[in-house]
Amino acid sequence: EDKVVQSPLSLVVHEGDTVTLNCSYEVTNFRSLLWYKQEKKAPTFLFMLTSSGIEKKSGRLSSILDKKELFSILNITATQTGDSAVYLCAVDNNAGNMLTFGGGTRLMVKP
Amino acid sequence: NAGVTQTPKFRILKIGQSMTLQCTQDMNHNYMYWYRQDPGMGLKLIYYSVGAGITDKGEVPNGYNVSRSTTEDFPLRLELAAPSQTSVYFCASSYQHNEKLFFGSGTQLSVL
């Protein structure tokens, strides 16, 4: 059975801190790993990663994949209160036709 | 550009009642999905569709039905509501399968 585990479950930081969120996975026929940000309701897409070692970057957010050790990290530098959200990781199993989501990491950024 | 629109936003059902969650997208995406999200859990796929007239089961399809008569619409039907179906439901669509999903704002459903 495919499995995606995110850590930590929750995190409280202050504005300006840097955070690292982790996503480890066990899937057969890995195709891609995706990160989403979920604020109040709808998840919004952040990154899709398919190759090891290639960093994807968008402003203060960046992510990288390690296909040998089966994990990805999402980094947020100089955090702002607007970064407060649940961050979801999902893995696409080429054979299963569905994404397997982790339980999410709840990030709270205090002023 | 409205994106993915879901209705209703909230609903309370009694056990055994039925209802349809509506979902429509205006991005001309072939791929559409229904997920449910239970507290503290990841999203689980209920059903998905790769195009008009084609639907397939996801991980947790029992108790639900879908149809896809047009590219734009992908309604989810609950026939005999049960307390285990209390959840938040998300509809999503994408241009390519399982890549960059666009989600609707969700429907919070309680079955009492």
Side-chain angles (χ1 to χ4, degrees), chain A residues 8-14 18-21 37-38 74 76 79-87 104-110:
Chain A
L9 287 179
S10 65
L11 194 53
V12 180
V13 300
H14 287 95
T18 294
V19 297
T20 299
L21 310 183
K37 178 182 181 182
Q38 185 175 23
L74 176 68
I76 309 174
T79 52
Q80 301 171 357
T81 54
D83 295 326
S84 296
V86 174
Y87 290 84
T105 292
R106 183 174 295 276
L107 173 66
M108 181 181 292
V109 181
K110 291 188 170 181

Side-chain angles (χ1 to χ4, degrees), chain B residues 39-96:
Chain B
M41 307 287 285
L43 283 79
K44 290 195 183 296
L45 183 66
I46 305 171
Y47 270 95
Y48 69 99
S49 169
V50 301
I54 305 168
T55 63
D56 210 344
K57 294 178 181 179
E59 189 180 358
V60 289
N62 291 344
Y64 307 95
N65 275 302
V66 293
S67 60
R68 184 96 183 269
S69 56
T70 65
T71 298
E72 294 78 20
D73 300 307
F74 190 41
L76 177 73
R77 178 105 181 135
L78 283 72
E79 289 294 348
L80 290 169
S84 61
Q85 293 177 307
T86 294
S87 191
V88 179
Y89 291 83
F90 289 100
C91 178
S93 72
S94 65
Y95 177 66
Q96 292 182 310

Side-chain angles (χ1 to χ4, degrees), chain A residues 79-99:
Chain A
T79 52
Q80 301 171 357
T81 54
D83 295 326
S84 296
V86 174
Y87 290 84
L88 298 170
C89 170
V91 176
D92 186 8
N93 173 341
N94 216 0
N97 278 325
M98 64 184 76
L99 294 175

